[in-house]
Amino acid sequence: MKYRTFWLVLVAVCVVMAVVGAWVAMSPPTPGVTKSNFDRIEAGMTRPEVETVLSTGTETVLSNEWKERWMGRNGNTIVIYYKEEKVIDKEWITLSVADRIQFLFPWFGLD
């Protein structure tokens, strides 16, 4: 009897783990500044497509092109360059440890 109970519990645990794994794998990625979201941006995407992946950024108009910037809570930054409403380039900026510490100063009133 104990042998049968052990196998039933083991099968139940495996099924629960499979269901949870499938749910996590099928759930859409959350918008924001992550390396995986950065990798999803491709040349030729429109601004609404980019904002679906990253949410709304801060835009800067250059001469005949413009860029949009997103900064994550940890200081990592994504910059997307547009021309004629299409992505032409992208940039991932990772802060060094010293820059990350300096990035936290305003939060603690240490300007």
Side-chain angles (χ1 to χ4, degrees):
M1 192 59 124
K2 288 183 181 182
Y3 181 74
R4 184 174 184 199
T5 304
F6 169 77
W7 284 106
L8 286 174
V9 169
L10 182 62
V11 168
V13 167
C14 289
V15 167
V16 168
M17 289 176 54
V19 167
V20 169
W23 178 71
V24 168
M26 292 181 359
S27 62
T30 57
V33 179
T34 64
K35 184 68 167 126
S36 62
N37 283 344
F38 172 77
D39 292 337
R40 292 174 58 202
I41 305 299
E42 298 177 6
M45 290 177 75
T46 64
R47 182 178 178 189
E49 291 172 331
V50 171
E51 289 182 347
T52 299
V53 175
L54 297 174
S55 76
T56 305
T58 304
E59 70 178 70
T60 304
V61 178
L62 305 171
S63 57
N64 63 343
E65 55 187 53
W66 50 282
K67 67 182 180 179
E68 200 166 10
R69 177 186 311 261
W70 291 263
M71 183 175 281
R73 292 185 316 189
N74 60 359
N76 289 338
T77 304
I78 294 175
V79 181
I80 305 293
Y81 298 91
Y82 299 92
K83 186 171 188 174
E84 299 174 5
E85 300 292 322
K86 302 277 187 180
V87 174
I88 58 170
D89 198 10
K90 63 183 184 175
E91 185 177 5
W92 172 262
I93 302 168
T94 303
L95 295 180
S96 67
V97 174
D99 288 337
R100 286 179 192 230
I101 292 170
Q102 189 174 15
F103 179 75
L104 295 174
F105 282 1
W107 290 5
F108 297 108
L110 302 172
D111 294 337

PDB file of all heavy atoms in Angstrom, residues 62-78:
ATOM      1  N   LEU A  62      15.986  63.882 -33.357  1.00  0.00           N
ATOM      2  CA  LEU A  62      17.242  64.322 -33.964  1.00  0.00           C
ATOM      3  C   LEU A  62      16.886  64.982 -35.286  1.00  0.00           C
ATOM      4  O   LEU A  62      15.741  65.325 -35.516  1.00  0.00           O
ATOM      5  CB  LEU A  62      18.162  63.111 -34.151  1.00  0.00           C
ATOM      6  CG  LEU A  62      18.427  62.315 -32.870  1.00  0.00           C
ATOM      7  CD1 LEU A  62      19.149  61.021 -33.180  1.00  0.00           C
ATOM      8  CD2 LEU A  62      19.211  63.131 -31.874  1.00  0.00           C
ATOM      9  N   SER A  63      17.799  65.164 -36.194  1.00  0.00           N
ATOM     10  CA  SER A  63      17.499  65.876 -37.443  1.00  0.00           C
ATOM     11  C   SER A  63      16.397  65.171 -38.241  1.00  0.00           C
ATOM     12  O   SER A  63      15.251  65.598 -38.215  1.00  0.00           O
ATOM     13  CB  SER A  63      18.770  66.025 -38.282  1.00  0.00           C
ATOM     14  OG  SER A  63      19.334  64.751 -38.527  1.00  0.00           O
ATOM     15  N   ASN A  64      16.692  64.124 -38.966  1.00  0.00           N
ATOM     16  CA  ASN A  64      15.657  63.441 -39.745  1.00  0.00           C
ATOM     17  C   ASN A  64      15.342  62.065 -39.152  1.00  0.00           C
ATOM     18  O   ASN A  64      14.657  61.271 -39.749  1.00  0.00           O
ATOM     19  CB  ASN A  64      16.074  63.300 -41.213  1.00  0.00           C
ATOM     20  CG  ASN A  64      17.316  62.453 -41.374  1.00  0.00           C
ATOM     21  OD1 ASN A  64      18.054  62.230 -40.425  1.00  0.00           O
ATOM     22  ND2 ASN A  64      17.551  61.995 -42.583  1.00  0.00           N
ATOM     23  N   GLU A  65      15.903  61.790 -37.984  1.00  0.00           N
ATOM     24  CA  GLU A  65      15.578  60.552 -37.298  1.00  0.00           C
ATOM     25  C   GLU A  65      15.387  60.884 -35.818  1.00  0.00           C
ATOM     26  O   GLU A  65      15.644  61.998 -35.389  1.00  0.00           O
ATOM     27  CB  GLU A  65      16.665  59.503 -37.499  1.00  0.00           C
ATOM     28  CG  GLU A  65      18.052  59.951 -37.103  1.00  0.00           C
ATOM     29  CD  GLU A  65      19.112  58.936 -37.480  1.00  0.00           C
ATOM     30  OE1 GLU A  65      19.172  58.534 -38.649  1.00  0.00           O
ATOM     31  OE2 GLU A  65      19.870  58.543 -36.584  1.00  0.00           O
ATOM     32  N   TRP A  66      14.922  59.945 -35.063  1.00  0.00           N
ATOM     33  CA  TRP A  66      14.734  60.194 -33.648  1.00  0.00           C
ATOM     34  C   TRP A  66      15.008  58.923 -32.873  1.00  0.00           C
ATOM     35  O   TRP A  66      15.125  57.849 -33.433  1.00  0.00           O
ATOM     36  CB  TRP A  66      13.347  60.754 -33.359  1.00  0.00           C
ATOM     37  CG  TRP A  66      12.204  59.998 -33.960  1.00  0.00           C
ATOM     38  CD1 TRP A  66      11.785  60.043 -35.252  1.00  0.00           C
ATOM     39  CD2 TRP A  66      11.337  59.085 -33.304  1.00  0.00           C
ATOM     40  NE1 TRP A  66      10.711  59.215 -35.438  1.00  0.00           N
ATOM     41  CE2 TRP A  66      10.403  58.621 -34.252  1.00  0.00           C
ATOM     42  CE3 TRP A  66      11.243  58.615 -32.001  1.00  0.00           C
ATOM     43  CZ2 TRP A  66       9.415  57.709 -33.936  1.00  0.00           C
ATOM     44  CZ3 TRP A  66      10.241  57.726 -31.691  1.00  0.00           C
ATOM     45  CH2 TRP A  66       9.345  57.282 -32.655  1.00  0.00           C
ATOM     46  N   LYS A  67      15.151  59.067 -31.580  1.00  0.00           N
ATOM     47  CA  LYS A  67      15.449  57.919 -30.752  1.00  0.00           C
ATOM     48  C   LYS A  67      14.530  57.904 -29.540  1.00  0.00           C
ATOM     49  O   LYS A  67      13.971  58.921 -29.153  1.00  0.00           O
ATOM     50  CB  LYS A  67      16.907  57.898 -30.319  1.00  0.00           C
ATOM     51  CG  LYS A  67      17.305  59.024 -29.373  1.00  0.00           C
ATOM     52  CD  LYS A  67      18.773  58.937 -29.033  1.00  0.00           C
ATOM     53  CE  LYS A  67      19.181  60.060 -28.097  1.00  0.00           C
ATOM     54  NZ  LYS A  67      20.584  59.984 -27.742  1.00  0.00           N
ATOM     55  N   GLU A  68      14.373  56.723 -28.992  1.00  0.00           N
ATOM     56  CA  GLU A  68      13.557  56.540 -27.804  1.00  0.00           C
ATOM     57  C   GLU A  68      14.398  55.771 -26.795  1.00  0.00           C
ATOM     58  O   GLU A  68      15.130  54.852 -27.162  1.00  0.00           O
ATOM     59  CB  GLU A  68      12.291  55.764 -28.179  1.00  0.00           C
ATOM     60  CG  GLU A  68      11.176  55.904 -27.204  1.00  0.00           C
ATOM     61  CD  GLU A  68       9.850  55.410 -27.783  1.00  0.00           C
ATOM     62  OE1 GLU A  68       9.833  54.790 -28.863  1.00  0.00           O
ATOM     63  OE2 GLU A  68       8.842  55.637 -27.134  1.00  0.00           O
ATOM     64  N   ARG A  69      14.298  56.160 -25.534  1.00  0.00           N
ATOM     65  CA  ARG A  69      15.162  55.585 -24.497  1.00  0.00           C
ATOM     66  C   ARG A  69      14.314  55.008 -23.369  1.00  0.00           C
ATOM     67  O   ARG A  69      13.313  55.581 -22.966  1.00  0.00           O
ATOM     68  CB  ARG A  69      16.072  56.679 -23.950  1.00  0.00           C
ATOM     69  CG  ARG A  69      16.968  56.259 -22.816  1.00  0.00           C
ATOM     70  CD  ARG A  69      17.731  57.449 -22.241  1.00  0.00           C
ATOM     71  NE  ARG A  69      18.374  58.234 -23.261  1.00  0.00           N
ATOM     72  CZ  ARG A  69      19.658  58.146 -23.590  1.00  0.00           C
ATOM     73  NH1 ARG A  69      20.444  57.306 -22.960  1.00  0.00           N
ATOM     74  NH2 ARG A  69      20.171  58.905 -24.533  1.00  0.00           N
ATOM     75  N   TRP A  70      14.755  53.857 -22.877  1.00  0.00           N
ATOM     76  CA  TRP A  70      14.139  53.221 -21.725  1.00  0.00           C
ATOM     77  C   TRP A  70      15.226  52.936 -20.708  1.00  0.00           C
ATOM     78  O   TRP A  70      16.278  52.407 -21.053  1.00  0.00           O
ATOM     79  CB  TRP A  70      13.495  51.889 -22.100  1.00  0.00           C
ATOM     80  CG  TRP A  70      12.304  52.006 -22.963  1.00  0.00           C
ATOM     81  CD1 TRP A  70      10.998  52.000 -22.566  1.00  0.00           C
ATOM     82  CD2 TRP A  70      12.278  52.152 -24.376  1.00  0.00           C
ATOM     83  NE1 TRP A  70      10.166  52.121 -23.649  1.00  0.00           N
ATOM     84  CE2 TRP A  70      10.929  52.219 -24.777  1.00  0.00           C
ATOM     85  CE3 TRP A  70      13.251  52.231 -25.357  1.00  0.00           C
ATOM     86  CZ2 TRP A  70      10.538  52.362 -26.096  1.00  0.00           C
ATOM     87  CZ3 TRP A  70      12.878  52.376 -26.663  1.00  0.00           C
ATOM     88  CH2 TRP A  70      11.536  52.443 -27.028  1.00  0.00           C
ATOM     89  N   MET A  71      15.003  53.275 -19.444  1.00  0.00           N
ATOM     90  CA  MET A  71      15.974  52.986 -18.395  1.00  0.00           C
ATOM     91  C   MET A  71      15.321  52.079 -17.360  1.00  0.00           C
ATOM     92  O   MET A  71      14.229  52.364 -16.864  1.00  0.00           O
ATOM     93  CB  MET A  71      16.471  54.259 -17.720  1.00  0.00           C
ATOM     94  CG  MET A  71      17.547  53.987 -16.674  1.00  0.00           C
ATOM     95  SD  MET A  71      18.255  55.477 -15.972  1.00  0.00           S
ATOM     96  CE  MET A  71      19.382  55.910 -17.285  1.00  0.00           C
ATOM     97  N   GLY A  72      15.987  50.968 -17.065  1.00  0.00           N
ATOM     98  CA  GLY A  72      15.482  50.030 -16.078  1.00  0.00           C
ATOM     99  C   GLY A  72      15.804  50.478 -14.668  1.00  0.00           C
ATOM    100  O   GLY A  72      16.581  51.408 -14.444  1.00  0.00           O
ATOM    101  N   ARG A  73      15.215  49.789 -13.704  1.00  0.00           N
ATOM    102  CA  ARG A  73      15.435  50.133 -12.296  1.00  0.00           C
ATOM    103  C   ARG A  73      16.891  49.943 -11.886  1.00  0.00           C
ATOM    104  O   ARG A  73      17.375  50.620 -10.996  1.00  0.00           O
ATOM    105  CB  ARG A  73      14.545  49.275 -11.400  1.00  0.00           C
ATOM    106  CG  ARG A  73      13.085  49.593 -11.562  1.00  0.00           C
ATOM    107  CD  ARG A  73      12.242  48.838 -10.598  1.00  0.00           C
ATOM    108  NE  ARG A  73      12.679  47.436 -10.534  1.00  0.00           N
ATOM    109  CZ  ARG A  73      12.023  46.498  -9.914  1.00  0.00           C
ATOM    110  NH1 ARG A  73      10.906  46.774  -9.296  1.00  0.00           N
ATOM    111  NH2 ARG A  73      12.469  45.257  -9.903  1.00  0.00           N
ATOM    112  N   ASN A  74      17.599  49.044 -12.535  1.00  0.00           N
ATOM    113  CA  ASN A  74      18.999  48.803 -12.198  1.00  0.00           C
ATOM    114  C   ASN A  74      19.952  49.685 -12.994  1.00  0.00           C
ATOM    115  O   ASN A  74      21.156  49.551 -12.889  1.00  0.00           O
ATOM    116  CB  ASN A  74      19.355  47.332 -12.399  1.00  0.00           C
ATOM    117  CG  ASN A  74      19.157  46.881 -13.826  1.00  0.00           C
ATOM    118  OD1 ASN A  74      18.732  47.656 -14.680  1.00  0.00           O
ATOM    119  ND2 ASN A  74      19.448  45.636 -14.089  1.00  0.00           N
ATOM    120  N   GLY A  75      19.417  50.593 -13.803  1.00  0.00           N
ATOM    121  CA  GLY A  75      20.256  51.512 -14.563  1.00  0.00           C
ATOM    122  C   GLY A  75      20.568  51.075 -15.973  1.00  0.00           C
ATOM    123  O   GLY A  75      21.075  51.863 -16.760  1.00  0.00           O
ATOM    124  N   ASN A  76      20.295  49.808 -16.314  1.00  0.00           N
ATOM    125  CA  ASN A  76      20.502  49.379 -17.693  1.00  0.00           C
ATOM    126  C   ASN A  76      19.573  50.168 -18.606  1.00  0.00           C
ATOM    127  O   ASN A  76      18.445  50.483 -18.234  1.00  0.00           O
ATOM    128  CB  ASN A  76      20.244  47.883 -17.844  1.00  0.00           C
ATOM    129  CG  ASN A  76      21.314  47.045 -17.186  1.00  0.00           C
ATOM    130  OD1 ASN A  76      22.427  47.507 -16.977  1.00  0.00           O
ATOM    131  ND2 ASN A  76      20.984  45.828 -16.846  1.00  0.00           N
ATOM    132  N   THR A  77      20.057  50.472 -19.799  1.00  0.00           N
ATOM    133  CA  THR A  77      19.316  51.348 -20.702  1.00  0.00           C
ATOM    134  C   THR A  77      19.217  50.727 -22.088  1.00  0.00           C
ATOM    135  O   THR A  77      20.170  50.123 -22.561  1.00  0.00           O
ATOM    136  CB  THR A  77      20.019  52.722 -20.808  1.00  0.00           C
ATOM    137  OG1 THR A  77      20.139  53.259 -19.484  1.00  0.00           O
ATOM    138  CG2 THR A  77      19.251  53.693 -21.671  1.00  0.00           C
ATOM    139  N   ILE A  78      18.060  50.911 -22.700  1.00  0.00           N
ATOM    140  CA  ILE A  78      17.850  50.522 -24.093  1.00  0.00           C
ATOM    141  C   ILE A  78      17.580  51.792 -24.880  1.00  0.00           C
ATOM    142  O   ILE A  78      16.756  52.613 -24.476  1.00  0.00           O
ATOM    143  CB  ILE A  78      16.655  49.557 -24.245  1.00  0.00           C
ATOM    144  CG1 ILE A  78      16.948  48.226 -23.550  1.00  0.00           C
ATOM    145  CG2 ILE A  78      16.333  49.329 -25.724  1.00  0.00           C
ATOM    146  CD1 ILE A  78      15.775  47.278 -23.544  1.00  0.00           C
TER     147      ILE A  78
END
